[in-house]
Amino acid sequence: MKSIADVISNLNNKRMGSTSEICFEHKVQANGKEYVKEIKKITFDGEVFCPLCERERTTQELSDEEDLKIKRAMGRRNYNVFHNHNILTDIDLLEASFTSYKATEPEEIANKKKASDVYAKYREGEIFNAWFTGLPGVGKSHLAMSILRNLNEKGEQDKSSLFVSVDEMLLRIRDSFGNKESRYTEHYFVDLLTSVDFLVLDDLGAETGATGTKKQATDFTLRVLYAIANGRQSKSTIVTTNLSKNDLMSMYDSRLVSRLMKNQVRISFENTVDKRLGDMEL
C-alpha cells in the first residue's frame, strides 16, 4: 500500500484542470421531489471524470476491501471451530477420510457413495439431516467425520463444523454442576452446538448404557438434546447411532426424535461386520 506522502507526491506531478462537460448521474431530493444534480467534470493528467463518481467508486472499493477482511477473519474463526472445540472419545477419528474408509463389501461401497453424496449436497447448500445407523464398529462415525472434515477443509472455509460425542458432552455438563471453574456448562454446549453450520452428534443413545438395555433418557438428557435439536431446525445435523427408530422412540421424547429425523437421509448398515475386530487374533 502506498504511503500518504507517495500519494501527495504523485498528485503534485499530475495536472488538474476544468472542463465544460457535465455529469447527470447524481440526484437529490428537495421538496418531496427528485432532481438531477449537475456535476461539472474535471481533467486529471489528461483523463476526464466526474469527481463525485470517483469519490463514490473509491468509497465502494474501501468498503469492499473491509468486507473482504471481515469475511477472511470470519472464515478463519469458523475453520478453527472444528480444531478447537470437537468433543471426541476416539482421537483416531481426526484422521478419518473417505480415502481411508476401506469399502470391500457391497453395502460398504454403497454407503460410502451415499456419504460422499451427502457431502456434495451440503456443499451445494442443501439443508437436511443425515442419519448413520447400524451396529458398533461398522464405520458410521468414520464416514460422518469424513463428511465434516471435507466441509471444513475445502471451499472458502466460511462454514463452521463440529463433531461431538453425545455421551462425553453430557458427562462434561454434569461435571460442571459441581465445578464452578468448568466452562462446559449446559448453556455453553447448547449455544455452541446450535451456532455451528454443520454438526455431528455421535453415538446418540450411548449415554443410557449398552444397546438393548431399554433404559429411558433422563429429564436432564432430554432437556439438553431438545434444546440443541430445536435450535438447529434450519441447519444440517449428522447423527450416528447403534439404535433402531423404535429404540429411539422408546428412549427419548417423540418430539426430540421427530425434530432430529426431520428431512433426513438415512444410511443404514445391516450386513457390515465390526471393522475394529478385523485384525484381532483370538
Side-chain angles (χ1 to χ4, degrees):
M1 180 180 291
K2 293 183 179 179
S3 67
I4 295 177
D6 289 337
V7 173
I8 293 175
S9 176
N10 191 41
L11 289 174
N12 288 335
N13 293 327
K14 296 180 182 293
R15 301 184 63 181
M16 182 181 295
S18 60
T19 72
S20 59
E21 294 185 42
I22 302 295
C23 176
F24 299 97
E25 296 297 321
H26 308 283
K27 298 178 181 179
V28 295
Q29 296 283 341
N31 300 320
K33 296 183 179 180
E34 187 176 77
Y35 299 90
V36 174
K37 182 179 182 180
E38 298 182 3
I39 304 296
K40 193 171 184 180
K41 294 184 179 182
I42 62 174
T43 63
F44 187 73
D45 199 33
E47 294 185 14
V48 179
F49 63 92
C50 167
L52 188 53
C53 286
E54 184 65 16
R55 186 177 71 181
E56 291 175 352
R57 183 189 65 79
T58 303
T59 300
Q60 185 60 50
E61 286 182 353
L62 291 173
S63 177
D64 292 343
E65 184 177 340
E66 289 302 312
D67 288 345
L68 182 59
K69 289 180 180 178
I70 293 172
K71 183 178 180 180
R72 287 173 176 169
M74 289 295 293
R76 288 193 296 271
R77 188 179 76 175
N78 289 334
Y79 173 81
N80 289 329
V81 167
F82 176 83
H83 297 282
N84 297 334
H85 298 287
N86 281 330
I87 305 295
L88 297 149
T89 55
D90 180 4
I91 61 173
D92 289 340
L93 279 174
L94 289 173
E95 302 302 320
S97 68
F98 289 123
T99 301
S100 63
Y101 182 81
K102 303 305 180 184
T104 56
E105 299 299 322
E107 183 177 72
E108 296 172 335
I109 295 171
N111 285 347
K112 181 177 180 179
K113 174 63 167 57
K114 290 177 182 178
S116 179
D117 290 343
V118 167
Y119 160 67
K121 290 179 179 179
Y122 282 159
R123 278 292 304 273
E124 291 171 358
E126 293 189 36
I127 298 175
F128 59 93
N129 297 331
W131 279 71
F132 289 85
T133 63
L135 294 176
V138 295
K140 303 185 300 295
S141 300
H142 187 122
L143 289 175
M145 176 62 88
S146 299
I147 294 172
L148 212 62
R149 284 189 64 201
N150 275 275
L151 288 169
N152 196 66
E153 300 295 332
K154 297 184 178 180
E156 296 183 1
Q157 300 177 345
D158 58 344
K159 301 290 185 181
S160 54
S161 303
L162 188 65
F163 188 104
V164 172
S165 164
V166 174
D167 189 24
E168 181 64 23
M169 174 188 68
L170 294 172
L171 285 173
R172 294 190 186 190
I173 295 175
R174 289 192 188 93
D175 179 70
S176 74
F177 294 161
N179 181 3
K180 300 300 182 182
E181 301 299 318
S182 175
R183 67 170 178 168
Y184 297 119
T185 63
E186 183 175 334
H187 175 77
Y188 166 84
F189 275 113
V190 170
D191 183 60
L192 176 63
L193 271 62
T194 55
S195 66
V196 294
D197 297 290
F198 301 102
L199 171 69
V200 170
L201 290 174
D202 188 48
D203 216 1
L204 181 67
E207 73 281 356
T208 63
T211 302
T213 59
K214 302 299 182 182
K215 289 183 179 179
Q216 290 188 326
T218 64
D219 290 341
F220 157 71
T221 297
L222 289 173
R223 182 178 71 242
V224 174
L225 293 179
Y226 189 79
I228 294 168
N230 195 50
R232 295 194 59 79
Q233 291 302 288
S234 60
K235 297 181 179 180
S236 297
T237 304
I238 302 171
V239 179
T240 75
T241 184
N242 302 331
L243 304 176
S244 67
K245 182 178 180 179
N246 289 337
D247 290 335
L248 292 167
M249 293 296 285
S250 63
M251 181 179 294
Y252 299 109
D253 183 284
S254 59
R255 294 182 304 160
L256 170 62
V257 179
S258 176
R259 288 225 188 285
L260 289 173
M261 287 188 168
K262 180 181 178 182
N263 191 26
Q264 65 159 314
V265 169
R266 182 181 291 270
I267 301 176
S268 300
F269 290 87
E270 298 177 359
N271 303 310
T272 304
V273 298
D274 191 334
K275 289 177 171 291
R276 293 175 293 200
L277 300 179
D279 297 326
M280 292 183 63
E281 294 183 5
L282 300 178

